[in-house]
Amino acid sequence: MLAIPAIDLINGKCVRLFQGDFSKAKNYNLKPVEQAKAFEDYGFSHLHLVDLDGAKHGTPKNLKVLEKIVVSTNLKVDFGGGLRSIESVESALNAGAWKVNLGTILTKLNLNFQIDGIKEKVIAAIDCENRMVKTNGWQNQTSITIDYLMVELMAKGLSHFTITDIKRDGTLTAPAFNLYERIKTKFLNVTVWASGGVSSTSDITNLREIGVDGVIVGKALYENKINPKELLKCLQNE
């Protein structure tokens, strides 16, 4: 199982939200490129980079940060936030993203959005609350269930999903284990990354036992709830 540290950006700075609430953003006064280098120095191989400005406004706002991180490290960076057109997706890939996280655009199932040529570069980012999908930077409630959306996207050839339980995100109250266990049981041949609520290495162990393929860790690292070296050591003991 992979552990993927997260950097969420507002105005080019590292922040964390609480349950997806922009009014409850906590600024850590950290420079994103330096933080990315620190993650790499600890031994992480991947980075989850979220452009919250882009998610809120519908177009990416922090592509220069992505470019600087890619140039300055060897991290495989998955990038998301505001990628709602093929042009913006191409811009993120051209800026060096390893993969792109698409969320809002994928809920518009009848939209003529061509992903055939980039399927292997797409992570379907599904943000949910009570198993119902939210979009537009978690600001818009839909009537779409996680299961329905996953079935539709798998039919389109997507196989990599990041599932975020919004009520857990930024809370340090443990992940939604039941949610991930149900998804891994129902959808056998897909890659699932868990996001939201991680607070300890025991959470990581529990997710691994469920069969989750990756876990995104944010606030627990910034708040020193998890030691990066202990986290990586935990994964090495698989």
Side-chain angles (χ1 to χ4, degrees):
M1 184 175 76
L2 276 175
I4 308 98
I7 293 178
D8 290 2
L9 298 170
I10 292 181
N11 295 326
K13 297 178 181 178
C14 299
V15 304
R16 298 303 299 172
L17 302 185
F18 182 82
Q19 296 181 335
D21 189 339
F22 279 78
S23 69
K24 296 179 180 178
K26 182 174 183 179
N27 187 342
Y28 288 93
N29 294 313
L30 299 170
K31 295 180 179 179
V33 176
E34 292 180 4
Q35 186 59 51
K37 288 180 179 179
F39 286 142
E40 183 177 41
D41 289 342
Y42 277 120
F44 291 103
S45 59
H46 291 67
L47 177 69
H48 181 66
L49 185 63
V50 182
D51 183 349
L52 290 174
D53 296 308
K56 189 173 184 179
H57 297 290
T59 185
K61 302 291 185 181
N62 288 283
L63 287 175
K64 289 188 180 300
V65 176
L66 168 61
E67 289 178 351
K68 290 178 182 177
I69 290 174
V70 170
V71 169
S72 304
T73 74
N74 291 312
L75 294 168
K76 294 180 179 178
V77 183
D78 65 271
F79 178 85
L83 303 179
R84 297 174 196 166
S85 68
I86 192 62
E87 291 78 16
S88 62
V89 169
E90 289 174 346
S91 294
L93 293 173
N94 289 336
W98 167 65
K99 288 190 176 185
V100 289
N101 290 278
L102 302 185
T104 298
I105 194 68
L106 295 181
T107 65
K108 301 178 181 182
L109 300 173
N110 295 319
L111 188 67
N112 185 23
F113 185 69
Q114 299 300 319
I115 60 172
D116 289 344
I118 58 169
K119 287 176 185 176
E120 74 283 356
K121 289 288 187 178
V122 173
I123 300 174
I126 301 180
D127 303 325
C128 66
E129 188 172 335
N130 300 320
R131 299 186 182 178
M132 303 302 293
V133 176
K134 278 194 166 184
T135 63
N136 298 84
W138 303 349
Q139 298 174 95
N140 180 53
Q141 178 68 64
T142 74
S143 58
I144 303 170
T145 66
I146 300 175
D147 296 58
Y148 177 80
L149 185 57
M150 287 188 69
V151 168
E152 291 292 318
L153 295 178
M154 288 171 66
K156 291 179 180 291
L158 296 184
S159 60
H160 190 170
F161 296 83
T162 291
I163 311 294
T164 300
D165 186 310
I166 296 170
K167 283 296 183 183
R168 307 279 182 144
D169 192 73
T171 65
L172 300 173
T173 57
F177 297 116
N178 291 339
L179 170 65
Y180 298 119
E181 185 171 20
R182 187 181 62 79
I183 288 172
K184 285 299 294 184
T185 300
K186 184 173 182 178
F187 302 101
L188 301 177
N189 298 314
V190 297
T191 297
V192 175
W193 286 2
S195 176
V198 172
S199 64
S200 66
T201 53
S202 64
D203 288 341
I204 304 292
T205 300
N206 289 335
L207 287 170
R208 183 179 63 201
E209 290 176 352
I210 288 170
V212 168
D213 303 283
V215 55
I216 295 170
V217 187
K219 194 171 187 177
L221 291 172
Y222 293 101
E223 300 279 337
N224 298 313
K225 301 295 184 182
I226 297 180
N227 180 290
K229 292 183 178 180
E230 290 181 2
L231 169 56
L232 290 168
K233 185 178 180 180
C234 170
L235 294 176
Q236 289 170 356
N237 292 331
E238 291 183 336

mmCIF file with all atom_site columns, all heavy atoms in Angstrom, residues 24 36 80 83 110 140 163 198 202:
data_model
loop_
_atom_site.group_PDB
_atom_site.id
_atom_site.type_symbol
_atom_site.label_atom_id
_atom_site.label_alt_id
_atom_site.label_comp_id
_atom_site.label_asym_id
_atom_site.label_entity_id
_atom_site.label_seq_id
_atom_site.pdbx_PDB_ins_code
_atom_site.Cartn_x
_atom_site.Cartn_y
_atom_site.Cartn_z
_atom_site.occupancy
_atom_site.B_iso_or_equiv
_atom_site.pdbx_formal_charge
_atom_site.auth_seq_id
_atom_site.auth_comp_id
_atom_site.auth_asym_id
_atom_site.auth_atom_id
_atom_site.pdbx_PDB_model_num
ATOM 1  N N   . LYS A 1 24  ? -12.798 27.456 7.190   1.00 0.00 ? 24  LYS A N   1
ATOM 2  C CA  . LYS A 1 24  ? -12.045 26.871 8.300   1.00 0.00 ? 24  LYS A CA  1
ATOM 3  C C   . LYS A 1 24  ? -10.684 26.370 7.836   1.00 0.00 ? 24  LYS A C   1
ATOM 4  O O   . LYS A 1 24  ? -10.152 25.383 8.344   1.00 0.00 ? 24  LYS A O   1
ATOM 5  C CB  . LYS A 1 24  ? -12.846 25.727 8.939   1.00 0.00 ? 24  LYS A CB  1
ATOM 6  C CG  . LYS A 1 24  ? -14.141 26.184 9.587   1.00 0.00 ? 24  LYS A CG  1
ATOM 7  C CD  . LYS A 1 24  ? -14.907 25.009 10.189  1.00 0.00 ? 24  LYS A CD  1
ATOM 8  C CE  . LYS A 1 24  ? -16.213 25.482 10.827  1.00 0.00 ? 24  LYS A CE  1
ATOM 9  N NZ  . LYS A 1 24  ? -16.999 24.351 11.376  1.00 0.00 ? 24  LYS A NZ  1
ATOM 10 N N   . ALA A 1 36  ? 7.379   19.838 -0.209  1.00 0.00 ? 36  ALA A N   1
ATOM 11 C CA  . ALA A 1 36  ? 7.483   18.690 -1.119  1.00 0.00 ? 36  ALA A CA  1
ATOM 12 C C   . ALA A 1 36  ? 8.881   18.067 -1.027  1.00 0.00 ? 36  ALA A C   1
ATOM 13 O O   . ALA A 1 36  ? 9.025   16.835 -0.986  1.00 0.00 ? 36  ALA A O   1
ATOM 14 C CB  . ALA A 1 36  ? 7.182   19.125 -2.546  1.00 0.00 ? 36  ALA A CB  1
ATOM 15 N N   . GLY A 1 80  ? -4.886  17.994 -8.689  1.00 0.00 ? 80  GLY A N   1
ATOM 16 C CA  . GLY A 1 80  ? -6.311  18.220 -8.909  1.00 0.00 ? 80  GLY A CA  1
ATOM 17 C C   . GLY A 1 80  ? -6.737  19.589 -8.423  1.00 0.00 ? 80  GLY A C   1
ATOM 18 O O   . GLY A 1 80  ? -6.025  20.267 -7.683  1.00 0.00 ? 80  GLY A O   1
ATOM 19 N N   . LEU A 1 83  ? -9.867  21.282 -12.681 1.00 0.00 ? 83  LEU A N   1
ATOM 20 C CA  . LEU A 1 83  ? -9.624  20.656 -13.990 1.00 0.00 ? 83  LEU A CA  1
ATOM 21 C C   . LEU A 1 83  ? -10.960 20.243 -14.598 1.00 0.00 ? 83  LEU A C   1
ATOM 22 O O   . LEU A 1 83  ? -11.401 19.110 -14.447 1.00 0.00 ? 83  LEU A O   1
ATOM 23 C CB  . LEU A 1 83  ? -8.691  19.461 -13.840 1.00 0.00 ? 83  LEU A CB  1
ATOM 24 C CG  . LEU A 1 83  ? -7.324  19.755 -13.203 1.00 0.00 ? 83  LEU A CG  1
ATOM 25 C CD1 . LEU A 1 83  ? -6.504  18.485 -13.087 1.00 0.00 ? 83  LEU A CD1 1
ATOM 26 C CD2 . LEU A 1 83  ? -6.575  20.813 -14.010 1.00 0.00 ? 83  LEU A CD2 1
ATOM 27 N N   . ASN A 1 110 ? -23.041 12.977 -19.194 1.00 0.00 ? 110 ASN A N   1
ATOM 28 C CA  . ASN A 1 110 ? -23.415 13.120 -20.599 1.00 0.00 ? 110 ASN A CA  1
ATOM 29 C C   . ASN A 1 110 ? -22.565 14.160 -21.323 1.00 0.00 ? 110 ASN A C   1
ATOM 30 O O   . ASN A 1 110 ? -22.756 14.425 -22.501 1.00 0.00 ? 110 ASN A O   1
ATOM 31 C CB  . ASN A 1 110 ? -24.896 13.510 -20.708 1.00 0.00 ? 110 ASN A CB  1
ATOM 32 C CG  . ASN A 1 110 ? -25.804 12.399 -20.195 1.00 0.00 ? 110 ASN A CG  1
ATOM 33 O OD1 . ASN A 1 110 ? -25.563 11.235 -20.454 1.00 0.00 ? 110 ASN A OD1 1
ATOM 34 N ND2 . ASN A 1 110 ? -26.849 12.776 -19.464 1.00 0.00 ? 110 ASN A ND2 1
ATOM 35 N N   . ASN A 1 140 ? -21.071 21.812 -3.830  1.00 0.00 ? 140 ASN A N   1
ATOM 36 C CA  . ASN A 1 140 ? -22.338 21.481 -4.476  1.00 0.00 ? 140 ASN A CA  1
ATOM 37 C C   . ASN A 1 140 ? -22.739 20.038 -4.176  1.00 0.00 ? 140 ASN A C   1
ATOM 38 O O   . ASN A 1 140 ? -21.997 19.099 -4.454  1.00 0.00 ? 140 ASN A O   1
ATOM 39 C CB  . ASN A 1 140 ? -22.207 21.664 -5.994  1.00 0.00 ? 140 ASN A CB  1
ATOM 40 C CG  . ASN A 1 140 ? -23.503 21.330 -6.715  1.00 0.00 ? 140 ASN A CG  1
ATOM 41 O OD1 . ASN A 1 140 ? -24.551 21.850 -6.378  1.00 0.00 ? 140 ASN A OD1 1
ATOM 42 N ND2 . ASN A 1 140 ? -23.419 20.431 -7.700  1.00 0.00 ? 140 ASN A ND2 1
ATOM 43 N N   . ILE A 1 163 ? -11.241 8.162  -2.963  1.00 0.00 ? 163 ILE A N   1
ATOM 44 C CA  . ILE A 1 163 ? -12.521 8.391  -2.300  1.00 0.00 ? 163 ILE A CA  1
ATOM 45 C C   . ILE A 1 163 ? -12.281 9.196  -1.028  1.00 0.00 ? 163 ILE A C   1
ATOM 46 O O   . ILE A 1 163 ? -11.564 8.745  -0.123  1.00 0.00 ? 163 ILE A O   1
ATOM 47 C CB  . ILE A 1 163 ? -13.220 7.063  -1.941  1.00 0.00 ? 163 ILE A CB  1
ATOM 48 C CG1 . ILE A 1 163 ? -13.247 6.109  -3.138  1.00 0.00 ? 163 ILE A CG1 1
ATOM 49 C CG2 . ILE A 1 163 ? -14.618 7.341  -1.406  1.00 0.00 ? 163 ILE A CG2 1
ATOM 50 C CD1 . ILE A 1 163 ? -14.070 6.570  -4.298  1.00 0.00 ? 163 ILE A CD1 1
ATOM 51 N N   . VAL A 1 198 ? -7.337  10.279 8.597   1.00 0.00 ? 198 VAL A N   1
ATOM 52 C CA  . VAL A 1 198 ? -6.196  9.517  9.119   1.00 0.00 ? 198 VAL A CA  1
ATOM 53 C C   . VAL A 1 198 ? -5.528  10.275 10.257  1.00 0.00 ? 198 VAL A C   1
ATOM 54 O O   . VAL A 1 198 ? -5.221  11.467 10.147  1.00 0.00 ? 198 VAL A O   1
ATOM 55 C CB  . VAL A 1 198 ? -5.169  9.247  8.002   1.00 0.00 ? 198 VAL A CB  1
ATOM 56 C CG1 . VAL A 1 198 ? -3.903  8.623  8.574   1.00 0.00 ? 198 VAL A CG1 1
ATOM 57 C CG2 . VAL A 1 198 ? -5.770  8.355  6.938   1.00 0.00 ? 198 VAL A CG2 1
ATOM 58 N N   . SER A 1 202 ? -2.055  3.202  13.257  1.00 0.00 ? 202 SER A N   1
ATOM 59 C CA  . SER A 1 202 ? -3.042  2.118  13.361  1.00 0.00 ? 202 SER A CA  1
ATOM 60 C C   . SER A 1 202 ? -4.136  2.289  12.322  1.00 0.00 ? 202 SER A C   1
ATOM 61 O O   . SER A 1 202 ? -4.662  1.296  11.791  1.00 0.00 ? 202 SER A O   1
ATOM 62 C CB  . SER A 1 202 ? -3.635  2.047  14.764  1.00 0.00 ? 202 SER A CB  1
ATOM 63 O OG  . SER A 1 202 ? -4.361  3.226  15.077  1.00 0.00 ? 202 SER A OG  1
#
